[in-house]
Amino acid sequence: MSSSPTFTATIEKIIERTPETRSFFLRVVNGQKLSFLPGQFLSFLLPISGQTLTRAYTIASVPEEEGCFEICLNQVRGGPGSAYLFSLKETDLLCFTGPWGTFVLDQPLDTEYIFIADRVGVVPFRPMIARLLTTKGPHPARLLYAAPQARDVLYAAEWQKWECQRARFSFRPLTDQCEPEKYSIERVLLPYIEQHFVKEARPRSRQFYICGIGRPVLLLRDLLRGAGYERQAVKYEKW
Ligand SMILES: Cc1cc2nc3c(=O)[nH]c(=O)nc-3n(C[C@H](O)[C@H](O)[C@H](O)COP(=O)(O)OP(=O)(O)OC[C@H]3O[C@@H](n4cnc5c(N)ncnc54)[C@H](O)[C@@H]3O)c2cc1C
């Protein structure tokens, strides 16, 4: 990362999206507007036990929104960064650098977009899909969203609203019907991807974006690239 100024933001609002997931609505203190691309993240500098830990959080809101911007995160068992953020309250301050990252929506291509999300990994897709749906052209977009249970599907009402309003967007929640500890992306997502995008006949002309937690993201990437999709057609971000 190259150097970037450090921003300070006030936490204006915190909302609980699920028992383990919260959105923080932040406003830069000097009133400066944050410029970013859909899919980019910020690096938060967290003062924990006398040290500064750096943790990345993707911007969940769209660049065009005035005022506050949103990050959305879940509490990771034993994780110092998320535990610190979950201990904060409205009016507290946070420091960050950024925006960073190249996992962004390219100039819309004349092809179908498939967004594959694992749990809170859906966050970058909210601004990306919003941007895609406001650009002219056919660009059909599908969101395949894996989560342990229906109650863990973030922004569900929004995806459903977009699906009703836009013929070119479809939303497919894939839930495991299990407790979060037993959830397995391999069980939920891999068979679906294999059936719909690997075993089917060619041509391989789609743009994939994958975002999620840990090694399964790489399994999905390799499955698609191994099936003949171009390297550039399978973009991913692993948290
Ligand atoms: C580019 C980028 C963008 C990110 N954006 C977000 C975001 O928008 N929202 C968000 O919740 N997290 C996001 N993360 C993850 C975040 O930076 C932290 O890793 C996460 O909050 C855990 O930090 P921690 O200190 O609590 O736990 P740590 O002790 O650092 O635990 C890290 C372990 O938890 C796993 N992990 C990382 N993220 C999660 C998660 N969300 N749920 C469960 N396990 C996880 C990691 O694979 C690793 O094994 C992002 C990471 C990257 C690299």
Side-chain angles (χ1 to χ4, degrees):
M1 282 183 197
S2 58
S3 68
S4 146
T6 301
F7 296 92
T8 304
T10 311
I11 302 175
E12 287 228 340
K13 193 169 64 162
I14 300 176
I15 62 170
E16 196 155 281
R17 295 203 175 270
T18 74
E20 297 88 31
T21 313
R22 288 184 189 167
S23 278
F24 294 74
F25 294 84
L26 310 176
R27 187 188 293 271
V28 181
V29 287
N30 60 6
Q32 225 176 315
K33 189 174 176 336
L34 191 68
S35 297
F36 63 94
L37 298 170
Q40 284 192 305
F41 67 91
L42 303 172
S43 275
F44 285 84
L45 311 171
L46 309 177
I48 300 170
S49 309
Q51 289 181 303
T52 302
L53 288 192
T54 305
R55 289 290 182 273
Y57 294 99
T58 304
I59 305 165
S61 44
V62 296
E64 293 75 21
E65 245 163 62
E66 292 295 330
C68 291
F69 61 93
E70 177 184 348
I71 57 167
C72 177
L73 61 127
N74 62 315
Q75 189 149 25
V76 176
R77 199 162 290 171
S82 56
Y84 173 80
L85 287 164
F86 269 61
S87 75
L88 298 180
K89 55 187 187 328
E90 291 170 0
T91 73
D92 283 344
L93 298 176
L94 276 170
C95 291
F96 65 87
T97 64
W100 306 109
T102 54
F103 185 67
V104 295
L105 194 71
D106 295 324
Q107 263 324 86
L109 305 165
D110 226 351
T111 189
E112 185 182 17
Y113 281 76
I114 313 288
F115 297 92
I116 303 173
D118 162 34
R119 293 167 285 171
V120 74
V122 78
V123 168
F125 300 149
R126 188 170 178 240
M128 283 192 197
I129 295 171
R131 169 66 59 86
L132 198 65
L133 294 180
T134 55
T135 51
K136 288 212 173 82
H139 322 308
R142 269 198 252 182
L143 172 61
L144 310 176
Y145 184 174
Q149 299 190 19
R151 64 167 190 223
D152 302 307
V153 173
L154 302 168
Y155 306 106
E158 204 162 319
W159 311 123
Q160 282 154 6
K161 189 174 102 190
W162 288 357
E163 190 176 41
C164 289
Q165 291 175 342
R166 312 292 174 106
R168 61 190 166 111
F169 175 65
S170 71
F171 161 55
R172 173 80 197 221
L174 296 159
T175 54
D176 206 8
Q177 308 304 340
C178 67
E179 289 309 312
E181 312 77 61
K182 300 214 174 111
Y183 163 82
S184 148
I185 183 175
E186 276 99 332
R187 195 166 49 229
V188 186
L189 215 38
L190 280 179
Y192 188 93
I193 304 294
E194 256 176 344
Q195 189 191 337
H196 291 86
F197 306 113
V198 173
K199 290 193 180 137
E200 50 136 58
R202 289 162 190 265
R204 302 296 201 212
S205 57
R206 292 189 179 95
Q207 181 66 47
F208 291 92
Y209 282 83
I210 309 167
C211 185
I213 297 144
R215 204 179 64 90
V217 172
L218 305 182
L219 290 180
L220 286 173
R221 175 202 64 185
D222 293 345
L223 178 66
L224 290 166
R225 287 184 179 168
Y229 292 98
E230 293 286 336
R231 195 183 163 75
Q232 274 309 309
V234 184
K235 296 184 191 292
Y236 69 99
E237 191 163 79
K238 171 179 156 301
W239 296 352

